[in-house]
Amino acid sequence: MKEEKQCPQCGNTLSGRSDKRFCSNQCRAQAHNADRRQNSGEQLILSINAILRRNRTLLKQASPQGKTTTYRQVLEMAGFDFRHFTHTYRTKNGNTYQFCYDYGYLLLEEEKVLIVNWQPYMEK
Ligand SMILES: [Zn+2]
């Protein structure tokens, strides 16, 4: 029985040249575009992961243990990106901490920032 190859884009049976991968230029172009979309999504994930990792490192450096208060500008000058964090923790008082993995911060008045460590009780 002759093995029939199929177009990976549309499933049509391929005819003609055996080295052809797609049934048509249109299918080849569609597959190419899908690859590019996929890659740009992966790139976005990688770049955000890098930002989150840097944010965490900067919080750790600014506050190796316990609570530390610093200024927003100090963190920003060091390269901190306040747009990105991994999760939030809302206290009973209604304060919302933003976390980058196991280090978090609370934005205070006058552009101050309180840096904290993740605590087990924050799990709930
Ligand atoms: Zn096709």
Side-chain angles (χ1 to χ4, degrees), residues 7 9-10 23 27:
C7 172
Q9 186 64 23
C10 70
C23 70
C27 277

Side-chain angles (χ1 to χ4, degrees), residues 53-65 68 70 74-75 78-80 103 115 117:
R53 182 179 286 272
R54 187 177 60 214
N55 278 355
R56 187 230 178 225
T57 300
L58 292 170
L59 290 175
K60 186 181 178 185
Q61 285 170 352
S63 181
Q65 42 215 335
T68 305
T70 184
V74 171
L75 286 171
F80 196 90
Y103 286 85
I115 301 173
N117 296 78

Side-chain angles (χ1 to χ4, degrees), residues 14-28:
L14 293 180
S15 57
R17 260 172 41 219
S18 61
D19 60 339
K20 243 169 82 170
R21 234 193 112 204
F22 297 97
C23 70
S24 65
N25 288 335
Q26 192 192 344
C27 277
R28 191 183 324 109

Side-chain angles (χ1 to χ4, degrees), residues 14-51:
L14 293 180
S15 57
R17 260 172 41 219
S18 61
D19 60 339
K20 243 169 82 170
R21 234 193 112 204
F22 297 97
C23 70
S24 65
N25 288 335
Q26 192 192 344
C27 277
R28 191 183 324 109
Q30 280 175 1
H32 183 69
N33 287 337
D35 272 0
R36 281 180 39 188
R37 274 197 301 276
Q38 174 85 12
N39 282 339
S40 71
E42 293 298 323
Q43 282 305 315
L44 182 69
I45 291 169
L46 287 176
S47 65
I48 290 177
N49 284 351
I51 292 168

